[in-house]
Amino acid sequence: MTGPESEGSQLRRAVCPGSFDPITNGHLDIIARASRLYDEVYVAVMINKSKKGLFEVEERIDLIRGETADFGNVRVEAFHGLLVDFCKQREIPAIVKGLRAVSDFDYELQMAQMNNGLSGVETLFVPTNPTYSFLSSSLVKEVAAWGGDVSHLVPPAVLAALGERLRKA
Ligand code: PNS
């Protein structure tokens, strides 16, 4: 097949899924690295109706879009339901995940094997930059809530959003 359709289907796509409540420098490092390896990277922000986050999903998406606009090949979308369905609908064959430490491995392996069994989608693990091996959105929120300095862990726009949200809380 020739023409635009065949070119489209040859795009190498991957997805970086997560809650991103909010996005941290650790997430951004993984997304940046995925964007250098793939033609198109989707950042899939999970909608979890049973768990209220600090930020609404639309706010999380705006923050991620602001931080990834310069990459040029990153799209940010919300999703609910199974990640494999998100992948199927967009012809995404690969999930890219950061692995921070051995403690991440058990659950990530289970999810990778389940997702592969459900639809054949592959999961690629990227070792987290050691600078961020202790970093999580939950810890950032906790430290920021108690007035700790997280300016080296999140981008400036996220820091500002955190400050604003926590002042209101
Ligand atoms: O940032 P998080 O909260 O660690 O991300 C977890 C996420 C969104 C990647 C994971 O919970 C997920 O993929 N959820 C979608 C629902 C799904 O597909 N569940 C089956 C996983 S095997």
Side-chain angles (χ1 to χ4, degrees):
M1 197 166 49
T2 55
E5 283 115 308
S6 64
E7 280 166 30
S9 65
Q10 283 164 16
L11 282 179
R12 290 171 312 133
R13 297 194 179 99
V15 62
C16 296
S19 304
F20 302 105
D21 184 37
I23 189 158
T24 67
N25 289 343
H27 294 130
L28 272 175
D29 176 57
I30 299 297
I31 296 166
R33 288 157 71 186
S35 85
R36 293 194 285 272
L37 292 169
Y38 289 89
D39 298 317
E40 237 175 30
V41 172
Y42 284 77
V43 178
V45 182
M46 182 179 62
I47 301 170
N48 184 348
K49 289 185 177 134
S50 63
K51 193 172 157 204
K52 178 137 179 60
L54 182 64
F55 294 99
E56 298 297 334
V57 168
E58 281 311 316
E59 294 175 308
R60 299 177 206 178
I61 288 176
D62 286 347
L63 287 169
I64 303 169
R65 285 199 177 128
E67 298 306 323
T68 56
D70 287 350
F71 297 161
N73 62 345
V74 173
R75 307 167 68 140
V76 190
E77 291 183 12
F79 82 105
H80 64 96
L82 290 177
L83 180 60
V84 290
D85 290 336
F86 181 94
C87 293
K88 218 177 284 171
Q89 285 151 12
R90 292 159 186 79
E91 295 183 59
I92 301 171
I95 299 167
V96 174
K97 288 279 194 84
L99 272 190
R100 288 168 297 192
V102 177
S103 51
D104 279 345
F105 186 71
D106 274 353
Y107 187 49
E108 290 296 343
L109 182 65
Q110 281 178 24
M111 285 199 286
Q113 289 170 331
M114 176 63 82
N115 285 330
N116 185 261
L118 285 170
S119 75
V121 70
E122 298 289 358
T123 298
L124 285 299
F125 293 121
V126 177
T128 297
N129 181 327
T131 316
Y132 306 126
S133 60
F134 60 91
L135 182 53
S136 71
S137 299
S138 312
L139 276 186
V140 163
K141 284 183 282 190
E142 186 174 336
V143 172
W146 290 105
D149 180 14
V150 293
S151 58
H152 54 304
L153 304 177
V154 295
V158 174
L159 188 69
L162 268 171
E164 198 183 319
R165 185 54 42 89
L166 293 168
R167 263 196 306 279
K168 285 184 193 155

